[in-house]
Amino acid sequence: MKRRSDLIAVVAVTILLPFLCAPQDALKPADGPAYRVPYRISETLHVIVRAKLNGKGPFNFIVDTGAPAMFVTTDVAKKVGVELERNWATFEHMELEGGAKIKNAQARVEDIFQIRGMNSMNLPGLRLDGVLGYNILAKYRMEFDLSKTSMTWTDLHFDPPKPRPLLGDEGASAPPELQALGGLMQGLGSAMGRGKAGPPQPRGFIGVELADEAESVRIKSVLPQSPAAAAGLKPADTLSEFAGMPVNSAADVIKLAASVGVGEEIRVVIKRDNERVELTVKTGKGF
Amino acid sequence: MTRTSRQWAVDSRQQGVAASRHAFLVKAAAAVLVFAGCVVAASLGRADDPPAKPEPVTVDFELMRSMHMAVQVKVDDAGPYRLIFDLGAPITLISGRAAADAGMISKEKAAKKAFFGMRGEGKVKRFQVGDVIAEDVPVMIMDHPTITAAAEFLGPIDGIVGYPFFARYKFTIDYVAKKMTFTPSDYKPQNVMAQMMGRMFGGNQKKLISPAALFGIEVDKPDGDDEPGVTITKVYAGSPAANAGLLPGDRLLTLDGRWTDSVADAIGAATFVKPVDFIQAMVRRGDETRTVEVQPAVGL
């Protein structure tokens, strides 16, 4: 059971131990502006939002009601060039993707074992830079729907108190045996050659507009001087094969193209005036 | 690259063969895959369709001294227990005690020592958070050491409500009112353990950024350019971008509300759009910042 519990401990970004805080009831003033906050779901099934700190970034944060405060990695603190005071940093300007701005956002600067563990194995599919916890999240009424691509966060004009670690600012936010997991995963990660994935690369560009017909895909238009035009594709051609696979819908084509990088050649089969024509498209850059 | 080699790469990945680099790796992988074997397939979808116009259900929560949200949870009608509602948890945990009360494991098993307090996993038929009832929620039965330790300061805590529960709903969190609301969502939750084992041992998957629609532009950002946005270097005639009035030289700042500070981010923003829906692009042209409406097309 060991590895499984390790994984559970690492992916559950619950930062529980040493933080306590005097809860404080807020007045209930009128709602402030509502923001459309774009997000994505990481491979570890976390809700990820992006933020810029003092104009630097964007950085990737887990929305984490299991965290008492915002946490950022030491790497983030270094990149932003912020001064630390007993392991806390104050970011004068914080901006969430979607437009919400926070003045003097306070964050604990610590390489929590969960983030280290997940990053070293490249589990999330993106670089994690920290978590957003209570002192940021409580400012908003947050509306989530994972079937949508963005959330709505409404400013509540509430200034949550900064939690204080019970064991003092110098300590770590997890007991040593859990801390060790971060290092363990890091070791395993480098042994397996993980965590070194370069920046994500885009798929290739072709330059055609497609239209679904009954059980076939019609080329609706070809952008002039695009890779499609260079390959000789023409409007009204019917696409029957793409990269060696039969296609019945635009969705089929887009799915197959998702594994073709920039500058690669794809063989396509079209029907033109009832004749079968084979063409080769060399993909380009763009979208 | 030929189709056949690509196809092979995909096939072998699906068969999970990638962990064959050398003996050490195989051993390490085997140790973990043993557990992957007992991951139940992700069949978390709700069997019965949600009613036509469901009313949001309100759930009060307690803001603990540690600033965590605690909710009252019934596990197959046993309880209620106090659990932490945790958006950062891809799994749902319940304590051995709660699992035993609900008849999921024996009292003896719940009392036994176990590594990390891990006592197995199962599905809760009726997982009730306040008045919200979710059926067949996969849970880990685990007396997590951190939770046990925290409970000494905070009073009894019997687990964590995570993604397998909340992902099923459209929900709101309001810390000021200490209330959440839940309405069923169309989202189909995934299985995090299966997903992660796949990532750990499926090799270094090369996932390309795949736009969901056609805009008809090329963007660039040279090294050393640290200004926000990317520069549009080409706008194809007759493309959705051209129809929206975008021009080469425009600085694209956001696309559909997402920052486009790198080429990857700009193309990444296009992965979230739906073709034919109008979306907004914010561009800077000279000294002026403007927002234009673009209608990306079905295509690539």
Side-chain angles (χ1 to χ4, degrees), chain B residues 188-243:
Chain B
K188 293 273 172 277
Q190 295 160 280
N191 182 322
V192 68
M193 292 312 271
Q195 184 137 340
M196 282 198 305
M197 291 299 172
R199 273 192 81 74
M200 283 175 89
F201 301 107
N204 271 322
Q205 298 103 315
K206 265 226 156 160
K207 256 200 183 168
L208 299 176
I209 314 168
S210 300
L214 174 74
F215 287 80
I217 56 172
E218 204 179 308
V219 296
D220 195 19
K221 185 164 190 167
D223 287 341
D225 177 351
D226 291 329
E227 292 295 304
V230 289
T231 301
I232 298 179
T233 51
K234 192 186 233 173
V235 178
Y236 283 94
S239 66
N243 294 339

Side-chain angles (χ1 to χ4, degrees), chain A residues 1-9 11-17 19-23 25-28 36 38-46 50-52 57-58 62-68 95-98 121-125 134 137-138 140-147 149-150 156 158 161 163 166 178 181 188 191-195 200-203 205-210 223-227 242-245 250 253-254 256-261 264-265 285-287, chain B residues 1 3 6-7 21-22 24-25 28 31-32 35-36 38-39 63-69 84-91 93 115-116 118 120-121 140 142 144-147 149-150 153-154 157 160 163 166-167 169-178 185-187 190-193 195-197 199-201 203-205 207-219 228 234 236-239 252 255-261 264-267 270 272 297-300:
Chain A
M1 282 286 166
K2 185 164 186 329
R3 284 286 172 271
R4 231 162 131 62
S5 14
D6 287 356
L7 263 183
I8 291 167
V11 296
V13 200
T14 315
I15 301 159
L16 262 173
L17 249 190
F19 285 80
L20 292 179
C21 177
D25 280 313
L27 300 170
K28 188 81 183 78
R36 182 173 163 247
Y39 72 97
R40 59 186 282 191
I41 305 224
S42 67
E43 303 281 338
T44 45
L45 304 180
H46 290 110
R50 302 199 297 171
K52 291 185 184 177
I62 297 175
V63 176
D64 186 8
T65 60
E95 184 180 358
L96 291 167
E97 193 166 32
M121 297 292 288
N122 192 22
L123 289 181
Y134 171 77
L137 304 181
Y140 305 96
R141 180 171 55 246
M142 300 174 288
E143 201 177 312
F144 300 85
D145 182 350
L146 302 191
S147 68
T149 58
S150 63
L156 295 175
F158 172 51
L166 190 69
L178 284 174
L181 275 183
L188 194 60
M192 295 174 66
R194 307 302 313 264
Q201 298 298 317
R203 70 141 151 81
F205 175 72
I206 294 173
V208 283
E209 216 180 308
L210 302 172
L223 298 178
Q225 295 168 352
S226 66
F242 186 91
M245 305 289 278
V253 181
I254 288 167
L256 288 167
S259 56
V260 182
E264 291 185 28
E265 291 188 345
K285 286 186 196 170
F287 62 100
Chain B
M1 189 194 262
R3 187 67 225 166
R6 187 188 306 289
Q7 202 58 48
R21 267 155 282 183
H22 43 85
F24 168 77
L25 269 194
V32 185
F35 303 117
C38 44
V39 173
L63 188 58
M64 301 195 299
R65 282 195 303 148
S66 59
M67 310 325 267
H68 291 94
M69 305 164 64
I84 290 173
F85 187 89
D86 185 0
L87 272 182
I91 37 137
L93 288 186
F115 185 81
F116 257 107
M118 182 78 182
E121 54 193 291
M140 300 282 166
M142 186 177 183
H144 197 293
T146 317
I147 295 181
F153 298 107
L154 303 168
I157 304 169
I160 297 174
Y163 170 94
F166 66 69
Y169 300 95
K170 175 180 172 174
F171 62 100
T172 60
I173 299 176
D174 185 334
Y175 278 98
V176 176
K178 299 195 184 92
S185 157
D186 294 332
Y187 182 75
Q190 295 160 280
N191 182 322
V192 68
M193 292 312 271
Q195 184 137 340
M196 282 198 305
M197 291 299 172
R199 273 192 81 74
M200 283 175 89
F201 301 107
N204 271 322
Q205 298 103 315
K207 256 200 183 168
L208 299 176
I209 314 168
S210 300
L214 174 74
F215 287 80
I217 56 172
E218 204 179 308
V219 296
K234 192 186 233 173
Y236 283 94
S239 66
L252 181 65
L255 189 63
D256 195 24
R258 293 176 191 262
W259 285 321
T260 53
D261 292 328
D265 278 357
I267 302 177
F272 294 97
V298 178
L300 71 174

Side-chain angles (χ1 to χ4, degrees), chain B residues 237-298:
Chain B
S239 66
N243 294 339
L246 292 174
L247 296 173
D250 283 350
R251 188 78 168 184
L252 181 65
L253 301 173
T254 67
L255 189 63
D256 195 24
R258 293 176 191 262
W259 285 321
T260 53
D261 292 328
S262 67
V263 173
D265 278 357
I267 302 177
T271 64
F272 294 97
V273 305
K274 258 200 231 132
V276 193
D277 280 359
F278 277 96
I279 60 149
Q280 296 192 326
M282 201 202 289
V283 294
R284 205 183 60 223
R285 184 178 298 165
D287 294 333
E288 192 196 345
T289 300
R290 61 176 85 191
T291 302
V292 299
E293 300 256 309
V294 193
Q295 189 181 24
V298 178

